[in-house]
Amino acid sequence: MFEKILIANRGEIAIRIIRTCRKLNVKTVAVYSDIDARSLHVREADEAVHIGPSPSPSSYLVHEKIINAALAKGCQAVHPGYGFLSENAAFAAAVVKVGLVFIGPSSQVIAELGDKISAKNIAMKAGVPVVLGHNLPIVDIEEIRSLAAEIGYPILLKPAAGGGGRGMRMVATPSDLESALQSAQDETRKAFGDDRIFLERFIVSPRHIEIQIIADQHGNVISLGERECSIQRRYQKVIEESPSLAVDATLRSRMGEMACALAREAGYSNAGTVEFIMDDRKNFFFMEMNTRLQVEHPVTEMVTSLDLVELQLRVAAGEPLPISQEDVSIKGWSIEARICAEDSARNFLPSTGLITRYSNLRGRNIRLDSGVEAGSFISVYYDSLLSKVISWGETREKARTTLINALNRYHVEGVTTNLDFANSILNHPAFIKGELSTGFIDECFEDGEAKIDPPMGQLEAMVLASTTVYHNRKNLVRESLKPMAAKVGLSHKSAQLYRYVVKGNKNIFDVELQGQLSSPDWRVRVNGTEHAVVVPVFEFYRRRLKLSIDGVDQYFRLQYRQNFIWCAHCGISRILEIYTPREWELAQYMPKEKKGASVNVLLSPLPGMVVSILVNKGDRVYRGQDLVVIESMKMECGVSSPCDGVVENVAATIGKAVETDEVLITFTT
Amino acid sequence: MQRPEQDNLTKLESMKEEAFLGGGAKRIEAQHRKGKLTARERIDLLLDEGSFEEFDLLMTGRAGQSSGIGEFPGDGVITGHGTIDGREVFIFSQDFTIVGGALGEAHAQKICKVMDHAVRVGAPIIGLNDSGGARIQEGVESLAAYGEIFHRNVQASGVVPQISCVMGPCAGGAVYSPAITDFTFMVENTSYMFVTGPNVVKTVTHQDITAEELGGAMVHSKKSGVAHFAFPNDILCLREVRRLINYLPSNNRQQAPILDLRDPAERTDPALDYLVPANPNQTYDMKILITSILDGAEFLEIHPHFARNIIVGFGRLGGQTIGLIANQPAVLAGVLDVQSSEKAARFVRFCDAFNIPLVCLEDVPGFMPGPEQEHGGIIRHGAKLLYAFSEATVPRITVIIRKAYGGAYDVMNSKHIGCDMNFAWPAAEIAVLGPKGAAQIIYRKEIEEADNPEEMLARKTEEYRITYANPFMAAKRGFIDDVINPRDTRHRLIRSLQFLENKRTVRPQRKHGNIPL
């Protein structure tokens, strides 16, 4: 085993690797750019080397800097993590050239599997099915018929000309082929004057299923089950699980064998992932092979009780695999949620800033792989993944509820995260039923909100929690002020029943509370249903609340927003407006909130000099996104978009002085 | 035959019934249609349920010289007292449904009566303004009446907190009562304040301008600073008044309330260690620090939209109400200018008048340069802040977060003008001017004569930064009491407030100072 390795990465994966190294008594060397000088991974490692400016092309991606750091610190191997240089054949070669070990497959294998065509060839040679298609346009019906039979139904007819789905036809059976072709050709001829057609296999409700393998340098290859990663947005995975509902034991061993065959064919060593696309009839086709540790590797570790990083290190050090295929068993179920700094409501726009509050997660069957802490600064330079929350349960349902409960009490403040979005996926009926496909998010969500209404029970729990906190705080204020109130005629009557009306978006709730400030037992009625609530001693600076409702512990995240309360629970987040009955009665007279006239121009808020412009004409921008940086009083200050829209014109010029209220950018909204 | 007292009882009932209806159902409906609540509904929301006791329900005006105007029970204003979370306050609420809430003699007498009561017993005065202005039919009597109110506003200033909510029109002389009171709230779209209305503006200057553009809530809360708060509707406005009152003592003889939100004094925040960016030219948001250190992360910001380069407002530390003044590096680098100096100065004087300790979080690059500022009188406006701090006798604590340069260092509650405790974060830079500017002056000759002046300037700048731009020089002199770990800021502030709880300062006898107004 190695004595010391360099980790050519940052964030959660660097910390994840360090964890295993500690266990194996391997010393670690971290690398960091300017902005990462105070990052968590730097402090966790035994040693750290500065490798340059913040942009990754000048630091984390510079081969020489990383190799020199490894040599200078006396490392024997380099672990690339994922991303950055992990699938860079030239880097792997350079590492080996100076006498270090690259923890991953050989440079040649990386290159071969990294190329789409040669990877496909290797797969076919290994007998792995690939998505068949025909890359020459054709017109002749007989030719199409025979090709379609070869590719397999259903097939997709794609016009050679045009785009936007015009003239596309899905053909389910050979008998439909002729008429479908006819109408496709008619349409595309009319529209584009061209009737040539491409053919390809049509994948119905595609699922993304991948097989984890590990291979040593002695020819042993084993597979460690599958992961389902169908829940994706913009080709980025959000929720991953292992095993998959779409895969049974027979299919698992068949897919596993295929993946191992492919790895053998390629001469692969170390951990790798073979990605397949699967249709609704469980036909699966090879897509690509990832020659590195995957972000979602923890779900495999949770169900196999293996440490993949440990296996990676052992294999790279030349040891034979300590286990054989028969030793691998899949136990229970594991689900992972990726927590990213991004705004799900604004097309997943990355969010940056200082993490001002952060609560670590602990608990049975919960694993948190995090790269951040309170005080971490999320910059524009690197990817937006903050952490991964992974759960385990005997069944999928148990793993799911455990993860939901964990996310309900996981709090990250300072940057916008997809925490509630990820949680709402886990709570979605289609996810519960396991009706997954890569189109899941587009089908079930819009602007980060589920298209269906959230369950009333969860909303009511949120209303109950918020109102109980609100009422207790109000009472506490009253108690505190008592010494300053009049002593004459001091009355001791205390109302037995407190009523509130709570508004959250379009829902209205009637709430009645019954209880004493001095006692933890409250009876709370929400829309007529009574609940027994045991309240803790409220500490009002906390953002997390654990409340026992009808004997079940539930977790909420909440925050005072002036006179109202923001609450998040099970993927729903709402500002709850809590009114007294009299206020609610009078609220009907209040003017409807006017939508302010949309501002479609960005003005300079201060005099200064434009130092950078972050968008171009035609870019889609969102409210709150920084568009221009102005230097004033020797300080750089970002000017953010006042609206959602498209950049119509950039009036500002870099290096030019601007006055207050000078037009910087105009938009069309 | 009925006994006389029964007769009177029936009569009283009908008189009250009439009074409660104000200007009648039709006018009430009109008020609601405008998105406004009636004077009585507003009182309902502002005060604890059932606590309102009314004065002078039966008082009427003399109907003026021309007897065309009838007598109205209550004369267009509802006055009395009630409680907010158990504490007494005095209140007047103008009734727009009765002759447009116009102010006449009796109307003003009622207001004066509650003000007199409030000062006598030491309880806050809250005015809900919704009035078309002076009752012209009453002539000079209504002007006299305004004068009586203004005079009482001034007499009460610094004795009891005075709060004005402008919830409808407030024009002409009437604006000066809210102007004198401590805090002015406005409601968006339904309220406006101006000395002369759009019609007069049109006649005199030929400018076309709407009432909203001339004196609406957003104009006054963003541009003029006349309003401290603006809210979208009556309900939210009145809720915020209740919230504000809970920070304040009832009068200048009381200490501010201690409100225990169960937030541990020892609570530390590791994120604060990373708040100040490594690059001194990068900004950060001071509000992160503010919400981190205050009890329950609750901060009531005053003037949130006006002169945003300085933040002022109320919070609590260990339960104790404090007045917080903080430079905001995220806006104009936190520089002091005419508006921010005035904003902070008035706030400091309020806190001093009502025994509210001052906590100052400092990150100030200096005063705003330029002819606009100099000609606008930055000298005398900056002097207001200097004066206000120097004069304050309440416990005063300053934490220098990053920059404390030049005169602005002295002005921002420095040790030299009487602050009790002055802490600094390790990133603090306390010096006469910024490193680059200082190097340019001190080493001008060397830089000019160097082969590579740019490089020499950079070197000398760095030298200066290391020698002077740090908290240690000031700590050696005792101007800084301690350089603290950012994460401990809350705890250190609370410990200081504890030992300062019984601070007494005796000033020499004088009628009053002469603040450069």
Side-chain angles (χ1 to χ4, degrees):
Chain A
M1 182 47 61
F2 309 111
E3 276 160 24
K4 196 196 247 187
I5 67 165
L6 180 134
I7 298 161
N9 217 303
R10 61 183 300 284
E12 68 87 18
I13 192 64
I15 293 162
R16 158 74 191 92
I17 296 164
I18 291 169
R19 196 161 61 214
T20 291
C21 288
R22 276 212 200 110
K23 186 176 80 180
L24 300 177
N25 273 325
V26 176
K27 293 261 175 277
T28 50
V29 177
V31 289
Y32 63 94
S33 67
D34 284 349
I35 203 159
D36 271 340
R38 303 194 284 191
S39 289
L40 195 55
H41 79 276
V42 174
R43 271 179 292 136
E44 291 284 310
D46 296 307
E47 290 172 85
V49 181
H50 177 240
I51 49 163
S54 309
S56 46
S58 322
S59 50
Y60 293 105
L61 293 176
V62 183
H63 302 186
E64 304 77 48
K65 284 183 177 175
I66 287 166
I67 292 170
N68 289 343
L71 291 173
K73 291 288 179 187
C75 298
Q76 292 140 353
V78 174
H79 196 306
Y82 53 70
F84 290 139
L85 297 171
S86 60
E87 290 175 290
N88 187 311
F91 176 70
V95 168
V96 173
K97 202 173 161 200
V98 297
L100 300 176
V101 175
F102 178 79
I103 301 176
S106 72
S107 155
Q108 191 201 341
V109 171
I110 295 175
E112 278 176 9
L113 289 172
D115 179 89
K116 279 214 150 41
I117 293 170
S118 70
K120 208 169 176 180
N121 288 336
I122 293 173
M124 289 197 294
K125 238 189 259 173
V128 180
V130 294
V131 181
L132 290 178
H134 197 70
N135 45 13
L136 286 175
I138 26 183
V139 226
D140 180 55
I141 174 78
E142 281 318 311
E143 203 180 341
I144 289 177
R145 200 184 295 281
S146 73
L147 274 169
E150 196 182 303
I151 292 169
Y153 286 86
I155 57 158
L156 185 68
L157 305 178
K158 269 189 355 192
R166 292 200 67 175
M168 276 217 221
R169 291 289 185 284
M170 196 270 277
V171 187
T173 58
S175 57
D176 296 339
L177 181 66
E178 197 162 343
S179 62
L181 184 69
Q182 195 76 54
S183 73
Q185 283 182 325
D186 277 354
E187 190 175 336
T188 175
R189 206 180 296 124
K190 267 183 213 139
F192 312 108
D194 181 348
D195 58 3
R196 291 172 306 149
I197 296 280
F198 285 115
L199 280 195
E200 71 178 35
R201 174 81 178 217
F202 182 80
I203 310 286
V204 185
S205 344
R207 299 174 91 120
H208 176 119
I209 311 272
E210 58 187 32
I211 301 286
Q212 175 72 53
I213 60 122
I214 179 115
D216 63 18
Q217 298 175 28
H218 310 279
N220 303 309
V221 188
I222 59 173
S223 65
L224 306 177
E226 76 282 3
R227 292 187 289 259
E228 163 136 29
C229 317
S230 300
I231 311 283
Q232 304 179 357
R233 53 97 189 144
R234 300 207 302 191
Y235 304 106
Q236 288 275 332
K237 298 162 186 168
V238 184
I239 305 281
E240 297 108 338
E241 56 186 303
S242 180
S244 160
L245 280 176
V247 179
D248 57 21
T250 329
L251 189 54
R252 180 172 305 126
S253 66
R254 221 177 96 220
M255 290 178 86
E257 277 160 25
M258 293 272 185
C260 291
L262 194 153
R264 272 190 210 98
E265 181 66 39
Y268 196 90
S269 76
N270 219 293
T273 299
V274 184
E275 295 190 340
F276 295 101
I277 188 163
M278 183 184 274
D279 70 10
D280 61 341
R281 291 182 220 163
K282 306 208 171 170
N283 299 306
F284 60 91
F285 306 94
F286 170 76
M287 284 199 301
E288 60 175 358
M289 178 157 184
N290 294 319
T291 58
R292 55 172 155 86
L293 191 66
Q294 302 262 104
V295 177
E296 61 272 23
H297 76 273
V299 290
T300 297
E301 296 185 326
M302 295 292 268
V303 293
T304 57
S305 307
L306 294 169
D307 180 338
L308 279 171
V309 174
E310 179 183 341
L311 292 176
Q312 276 195 304
L313 291 176
R314 292 198 184 285
V315 166
E319 295 178 25
L321 275 175
I323 48 165
S324 63
Q325 190 68 59
E326 293 76 60
D327 301 327
V328 177
S329 67
I330 308 291
K331 184 167 163 274
W333 213 282
S334 178
I335 310 179
E336 170 182 282
R338 294 192 191 188
I339 306 306
C340 299
E342 63 185 24
D343 192 344
S344 320
R346 295 183 186 282
N347 202 16
F348 306 101
L349 191 77
S351 155
T352 59
L354 184 79
I355 295 186
T356 53
R357 283 197 183 200
Y358 183 80
S359 52
N360 248 314
L361 270 180
R362 273 179 288 269
R364 253 170 75 87
N365 297 331
I366 283 295
R367 166 173 164 184
L368 175 66
D369 280 17
S370 168
V372 296
E373 60 182 346
S376 293
F377 188 82
I378 310 307
S379 70
V380 294
Y381 298 110
Y382 315 113
D383 82 18
S384 60
L385 183 70
L386 302 177
S387 66
K388 303 174 312 203
V389 185
I390 307 112
S391 71
W392 183 89
E394 282 102 27
T395 60
R396 183 173 189 265
E397 188 55 19
K398 277 188 183 163
R400 189 183 72 87
T401 49
T402 304
L403 187 56
I404 289 169
N405 265 321
L407 294 182
N408 279 344
R409 57 184 203 270
Y410 188 37
H411 184 68
V412 183
E413 196 170 316
V415 291
T416 310
T417 69
N418 66 342
L419 231 162
D420 293 321
F421 176 66
N423 205 348
S424 63
I425 293 173
L426 297 169
N427 277 284
H428 198 281
F431 182 87
I432 298 172
K433 280 184 243 156
E435 291 163 358
L436 309 186
S437 80
T438 51
F440 182 89
I441 287 175
D442 285 339
E443 281 158 27
C444 301
F445 287 81
E446 196 170 358
D447 295 332
E449 284 266 345
K451 287 181 187 170
I452 50 166
D453 287 335
M456 202 35 99
Q458 288 172 357
L459 276 174
E460 285 180 1
M462 290 163 68
V463 168
L464 183 155
S466 304
T467 314
T468 309
V469 170
Y470 180 86
H471 180 74
N472 270 270
R473 186 187 172 283
K474 204 166 132 179
N475 267 345
L476 194 68
V477 168
R478 225 161 223 278
E479 286 299 309
S480 287
L481 294 174
K482 249 192 186 150
M484 303 180 83
K487 312 285 181 294
V488 179
L490 202 61
S491 74
H492 293 282
K493 64 158 188 176
S494 57
Q496 285 304 299
L497 195 68
Y498 307 91
R499 281 200 56 218
Y500 293 97
V501 179
V502 181
K503 182 172 182 288
N505 274 11
K506 55 187 177 179
N507 303 97
I508 316 288
F509 304 86
D510 267 309
V511 185
E512 286 174 359
L513 294 104
Q514 220 169 342
Q516 304 275 333
L517 188 57
S518 52
S519 148
D521 293 311
W522 286 72
R523 307 209 61 83
V524 184
R525 206 169 295 136
V526 183
N527 283 349
T529 317
E530 188 167 296
H531 304 276
V533 181
V534 181
V535 301
V537 176
F538 289 114
E539 291 168 318
F540 295 95
Y541 67 99
R542 291 196 188 278
R543 297 282 197 252
R544 300 189 295 168
L545 174 72
K546 176 176 155 184
L547 210 57
S548 157
I549 303 174
D550 297 324
V552 180
D553 282 347
Q554 301 219 44
Y555 297 88
F556 304 86
R557 286 151 52 228
L558 29 89
Q559 188 178 355
Y560 265 85
R561 295 268 167 92
Q562 293 202 327
N563 280 300
F564 296 135
I565 290 183
W566 170 87
C567 182
H569 175 68
C570 291
I572 312 163
S573 74
R574 290 275 187 281
I575 289 188
L576 297 172
E577 304 176 18
I578 301 172
Y579 294 102
T580 62
R582 179 67 174 146
E583 280 175 331
W584 181 248
E585 192 185 324
L586 296 176
Q588 58 169 315
Y589 302 121
M590 293 298 100
K592 297 279 165 291
E593 260 189 67
K594 279 191 200 160
K595 281 256 158 65
S598 70
V599 200
N600 56 0
V601 54
L602 180 68
L603 302 177
S604 174
L606 72 178
M609 191 181 78
V610 177
V611 289
S612 63
I613 298 168
L614 309 169
V615 286
N616 296 310
K617 192 174 163 174
D619 284 359
R620 178 108 182 91
V621 297
Y622 295 90
R623 196 157 63 82
Q625 180 183 358
D626 276 351
L627 305 181
V628 176
V629 179
I630 291 178
E631 190 197 275
S632 178
M633 297 295 294
K634 296 178 201 151
M635 303 283 264
E636 285 177 12
C637 121
V639 188
S640 58
S641 175
C643 58
D644 294 348
V646 173
V647 176
E648 185 187 58
N649 184 37
V650 179
T653 332
I654 292 177
K656 217 187 110 214
V658 288
E659 290 301 320
T660 306
D661 288 344
E662 196 171 318
V663 174
L664 300 175
I665 291 179
T666 55
F667 310 94
T668 48
T669 50
Chain B
M1 201 178 123
Q2 267 193 334
R3 301 217 311 272
E5 58 266 36
Q6 273 185 339
D7 217 20
N8 278 353
L9 204 58
T10 322
K11 197 172 167 198
L12 177 70
E13 267 168 23
S14 75
M15 281 167 83
K16 285 202 170 175
E17 215 165 280
E18 192 196 338
F20 283 140
L21 260 179
K26 238 176 149 172
R27 290 213 177 83
I28 290 176
E29 205 198 307
Q31 179 87 346
H32 285 159
R33 255 204 319 273
K34 281 184 228 158
K36 290 158 66 177
L37 297 179
T38 65
R40 283 189 191 278
E41 288 164 349
R42 286 169 179 164
I43 292 176
D44 271 359
L45 297 191
L46 179 61
L47 300 179
D48 295 339
E49 202 182 324
S51 73
F52 182 55
E53 292 288 322
E54 188 166 353
F55 300 151
D56 300 330
L57 176 69
L58 303 179
M59 192 164 171
T60 59
R62 282 187 286 185
Q65 316 295 334
S66 57
S67 48
I69 277 200
E71 292 183 3
F72 307 101
D75 208 35
V77 65
I78 299 155
T79 61
H81 70 98
T83 58
I84 290 181
D85 285 320
R87 284 197 301 161
E88 294 291 345
V89 296
F90 286 82
I91 184 170
F92 66 87
S93 178
Q94 291 179 313
D95 189 345
F96 194 78
T97 64
I98 296 181
V99 288
L103 184 134
E105 187 191 21
H107 181 126
Q109 279 170 354
K110 287 180 69 176
I111 294 175
C112 289
K113 191 192 262 185
V114 281
M115 293 176 78
D116 290 342
H117 271 306
V119 171
R120 209 174 299 132
V121 305
I125 303 165
I126 302 167
L128 309 180
N129 298 270
D130 189 357
S131 158
R135 207 174 292 175
I136 301 167
Q137 296 86 339
E138 292 195 17
V140 72
E141 278 168 13
S142 70
L143 291 186
Y146 270 124
E148 295 277 341
I149 296 172
F150 300 155
H151 183 64
R152 278 173 177 77
N153 280 137
V154 175
Q155 299 311 309
S157 181
V159 180
V160 294
Q162 301 184 80
I163 293 170
S164 300
C165 299
V166 179
M167 309 180 91
C170 182
V175 298
Y176 285 109
S177 176
I180 292 168
T181 60
D182 300 304
F183 299 105
T184 301
F185 290 67
M186 286 183 82
V187 180
E188 287 162 27
N189 301 319
T190 55
S191 72
Y192 50 85
M193 288 173 83
F194 33 68
V195 175
T196 45
N199 291 337
V200 181
V201 172
K202 173 85 177 154
T203 326
V204 178
T205 69
H206 308 290
Q207 267 180 297
D208 266 319
I209 190 162
T210 65
E212 185 72 24
E213 287 164 350
L214 185 62
M218 280 337 273
V219 169
H220 283 313
S221 59
K222 272 187 188 154
K223 279 197 175 152
S224 72
V226 166
H228 298 84
F229 305 95
F231 290 95
N233 62 45
D234 285 9
I235 295 178
L236 296 177
C237 175
L238 295 168
R239 273 188 165 218
E240 200 66 6
V241 175
R242 290 178 63 102
R243 201 160 84 95
L244 173 63
I245 282 284
N246 283 341
Y247 283 93
L248 309 180
S250 296
N251 57 61
N252 64 339
R253 299 180 304 279
Q254 269 184 1
Q255 295 299 315
I258 302 282
L259 211 152
D260 176 18
L261 288 177
R262 299 202 189 107
D263 194 347
E266 308 78 33
R267 180 167 61 79
T268 60
D269 183 355
L272 294 183
D273 294 353
Y274 301 95
L275 177 65
V276 177
N279 178 348
N281 297 336
Q282 265 171 0
T283 63
Y284 61 94
D285 185 359
M286 184 61 88
K287 293 226 175 105
I288 294 175
L289 171 59
I290 294 173
T291 48
S292 161
I293 59 174
L294 293 178
D295 288 1
E298 287 181 29
F299 180 55
L300 189 141
E301 185 173 0
I302 292 156
H303 268 144
H305 306 296
F306 173 68
R308 294 190 303 122
N309 39 336
I310 204 158
I311 302 168
V312 303
F314 296 111
R316 298 185 186 89
L317 278 171
Q320 164 78 60
T321 297
I322 56 135
L324 194 131
I325 303 100
N327 307 108
Q328 171 59 291
V331 178
L332 290 172
V335 70
L336 283 177
D337 57 10
V338 169
Q339 291 193 330
S340 63
S341 303
E342 272 196 308
K343 167 178 164 180
R346 183 153 170 80
F347 178 71
V348 167
R349 297 196 93 209
F350 175 85
C351 293
D352 188 43
F354 290 99
N355 313 315
I356 296 170
L358 294 168
V359 173
C360 176
L361 305 174
E362 178 171 357
D363 185 348
V364 62
F367 283 98
M368 178 83 118
E372 193 192 315
Q373 288 290 315
E374 295 293 351
H375 299 171
I378 181 67
I379 297 176
R380 66 194 175 84
H381 293 293
K384 290 177 186 176
L385 183 55
L386 174 60
Y387 192 105
F389 268 126
S390 286
E391 186 188 40
T393 58
V394 289
R396 287 158 56 189
I397 309 172
T398 297
V399 186
I400 299 175
I401 307 303
R402 184 164 64 173
K403 297 178 183 184
Y405 281 120
Y409 156 70
D410 277 325
V411 169
M412 287 299 291
N413 199 29
S414 66
K415 200 89 180 165
H416 324 292
I417 63 167
C419 104
D420 297 296
M421 287 299 283
N422 196 342
F423 295 111
W425 280 16
E429 305 167 16
I430 307 160
V432 177
L433 70 170
K436 197 169 172 188
Q440 273 165 341
I441 294 169
I442 303 173
Y443 305 107
R444 186 168 56 198
K445 252 187 123 182
E446 281 148 281
I447 292 167
E448 274 171 10
E449 286 164 7
D451 297 336
N452 186 345
E454 291 259 308
E455 194 194 305
M456 179 60 94
L457 173 63
R459 215 172 77 210
K460 291 293 178 193
T461 302
E462 200 47 38
E463 264 177 46
Y464 183 92
R465 184 190 306 283
I466 292 163
T467 328
Y468 295 98
N470 60 50
F472 307 115
M473 288 273 285
K476 275 186 194 168
R477 296 274 168 280
F479 302 154
I480 299 294
D481 296 290
D482 197 6
V483 181
I484 62 173
N485 197 333
R487 65 172 70 202
D488 298 330
T489 306
R490 169 179 165 82
H491 186 219
R492 301 297 297 265
L493 285 172
I494 292 175
R495 287 291 292 120
S496 294
L497 287 170
Q498 282 175 331
F499 92 82
L500 288 167
E501 196 177 310
N502 296 312
K503 177 190 174 189
R504 293 284 174 272
T505 310
V506 181
R507 295 283 196 220
Q509 273 288 324
R510 63 177 167 191
K511 196 169 163 197
H512 59 68
N514 186 14
I515 187 166
L517 289 175

